[in-house]
Amino acid sequence: RLVVPEDDQISVSLVFYPIDEKTEILKYCIRVHHDGKLLDVLMALSRVLHSDETGEPLTTNQQASGDDKSDDGEVDEEFEHLLLERAQTMAVVDMRDGYIFKIAPNTWALPDLQNKDTGELPLL
């Protein structure tokens, strides 16, 4: 009998609308811990956007867990601060009929946003 480790991460789909109108709108799928908050999603998106802009590849651990450890195991605090600042300039909004219906606080827990029947998260 093979024991399969439980996956404690979920995929979150979101659409990124940059402030610069010349930049194209992109859809991303981010993996975060299932018991995280919206800020965790925005931090993961910041990490991916940074990688897209700089061309620096993310390791599998960085993509999945947001692990920004250097080769000696130290967390790169300056990089984390940069990502946090960028994440704090973003917002998760509920769009309806072409208008912003509401802005979701970054402290909202992901389990509270999940569909109770299917366990899926709405497109953010």
Side-chain angles (χ1 to χ4, degrees):
R1 188 168 158 166
L2 179 63
V3 177
V4 179
E6 184 178 326
D7 187 10
D8 65 346
Q9 296 194 337
I10 58 173
S11 295
V12 180
S13 296
L14 49 102
V15 178
F16 178 67
Y17 291 88
I19 292 175
D20 182 10
E21 293 179 6
K22 295 176 185 170
T23 307
E24 59 185 297
I25 297 168
L26 297 171
K27 183 176 180 181
Y28 287 92
C29 186
I30 307 291
R31 295 207 28 99
V32 293
H33 290 284
H34 66 78
D35 59 350
K37 300 200 179 301
L38 283 179
L39 182 60
D40 299 327
V41 173
L42 296 178
M43 287 286 289
L45 178 60
S46 295
R47 189 172 283 106
V48 171
L49 291 172
H50 177 78
S51 176
D52 286 352
E53 291 167 357
T54 62
E56 296 176 10
L58 295 174
T59 66
T60 303
N61 282 347
Q62 286 175 322
Q63 291 172 352
S65 65
D67 186 13
D68 292 314
K69 293 183 180 175
S70 61
D71 293 336
D72 59 1
E74 293 292 316
V75 174
D76 186 348
E77 290 182 26
E78 185 177 325
F79 183 62
E80 279 294 310
H81 182 71
L82 174 79
L83 294 177
L84 179 60
E85 283 182 348
R86 185 169 192 170
Q88 289 174 336
T89 65
M90 299 180 200
V92 175
V93 299
D94 183 2
M95 296 286 292
R96 295 185 190 178
D97 300 322
Y99 296 97
I100 295 175
F101 182 70
K102 67 180 170 186
I103 300 173
N106 290 345
T107 56
W108 275 7
L110 295 178
D112 295 340
L113 299 173
Q114 287 178 310
N115 181 311
K116 303 303 181 212
D117 296 329
T118 64
E120 294 179 358
L121 281 169
L123 178 67
L124 302 177

